[in-house]
Amino acid sequence: MLEFAILGLLHESPMHGYELRKQLATKLGAFRAAISYGSLYPTLRRLQAGGLITEGTESTTTAGGGDVPLLAGRRGRVVYKITAEGKERFQDLLGNAGPETYDSEAGFGVHFAFFARTDRATRLRILEGRRRRVEERREGLREVLSRAAERLDAYTLELQRHGLDACEREVRWLEELIANERSGQSPRTTADQPPSDPPKRSPLKE
């Protein structure tokens, strides 16, 4: 997943390590927990060894667009660039719509972050696969609540209900995205519709 995210970002433009970290956090948003920053530089080294990216030294640029060396004694930051082989690898990963792209929250989140570069048929396969997985989880939670609710303490019961609510919301979100993909529409933005109020819940009962 980290390899996929790095190649996707470097496909857009060369970056140094600190900028990569910031862009990973921005690009992935709620899914950034899927990325281990402690593994960022080891992954960069592995991608370099595989010929998928190269590194150079940052330089200053004149008004005319030409590069000039940094002043003596100053060390430029390392800038990473994607290679032709790296671009091919990224395209291969984009087209991968197997279970690993929707079984886990992390796998789905990283791929979803690069949906703008993914073809519509692949986007649909991933979205539909993710919906199936979330529906399966939702049905499992419903079964727990219907069969064992009376044996659960108030806090465990509330946790199960919270999980069920989250599944219900995600299924609705996925169904909207799938409908948009099938109709050729872009996903709505937050400006298109005001945020809905959170569902009201009864207080915990001891």
Side-chain angles (χ1 to χ4, degrees):
M1 290 180 293
L2 184 54
E3 172 187 334
F4 177 68
I6 290 172
L7 291 176
L9 288 173
L10 294 181
H11 199 292
E12 297 172 0
S13 67
M15 297 183 193
H16 51 78
Y18 176 71
E19 187 178 3
L20 266 173
R21 285 190 61 176
K22 289 199 304 182
Q23 290 299 319
L24 284 169
T26 300
K27 188 79 171 177
L28 297 181
F31 301 104
R32 61 182 176 271
I35 297 299
S36 169
Y37 291 127
S39 61
L40 175 59
Y41 288 98
T43 303
L44 288 170
R45 289 193 291 271
R46 180 169 54 81
L47 293 175
Q48 278 184 267
L52 302 180
I53 65 173
T54 60
E55 70 172 42
T57 303
E58 190 175 48
S59 60
T60 59
T61 303
T62 65
D67 290 338
V68 296
L70 293 167
L71 296 175
R74 291 185 59 188
R75 183 179 179 183
R77 290 178 295 185
V78 172
V79 176
Y80 299 95
K81 300 179 180 180
I82 194 169
T83 64
E85 292 80 5
K87 291 179 180 179
E88 290 180 6
R89 171 64 174 162
F90 179 64
Q91 292 301 321
D92 289 342
L93 293 171
L94 273 182
N96 183 354
E100 66 278 1
T101 62
Y102 47 76
D103 276 351
S104 70
E105 188 88 0
F108 174 71
V110 173
H111 277 264
F112 189 83
F114 293 96
F115 259 25
R117 290 180 171 271
T118 307
D119 65 87
R120 189 163 69 94
T122 302
R123 291 197 301 263
L124 269 172
R125 286 200 300 274
I126 294 174
L127 290 171
E128 290 170 346
R130 178 64 180 172
R131 181 179 61 181
R132 287 195 300 272
R133 292 297 182 266
V134 179
E135 286 175 337
E136 290 169 1
R137 188 189 313 156
R138 180 187 63 185
E139 295 311 309
L141 288 168
R142 283 177 175 172
E143 185 174 355
V144 167
L145 287 170
S146 65
R147 292 188 176 186
E150 68 280 358
R151 297 196 299 272
L152 301 176
D153 66 78
Y155 293 98
T156 302
L157 182 60
E158 187 68 11
L159 184 62
Q160 296 297 318
R161 287 173 175 166
H162 173 71
L164 180 57
D165 286 347
C167 288
E168 295 280 10
R169 288 194 298 271
E170 185 170 355
V171 168
R172 290 195 298 270
W173 175 64
L174 290 166
E175 287 176 343
E176 181 180 344
L177 288 171
I178 290 168
N180 286 339
E181 291 291 343
R182 288 174 175 166
S183 65
Q185 297 178 5
S186 299
R188 64 176 174 82
T189 64
T190 54
D192 296 327
Q193 182 175 326
S196 57
D197 294 331
K200 295 182 179 180
R201 295 296 252 344
S202 58
L204 290 172
K205 297 182 180 179
E206 298 292 346

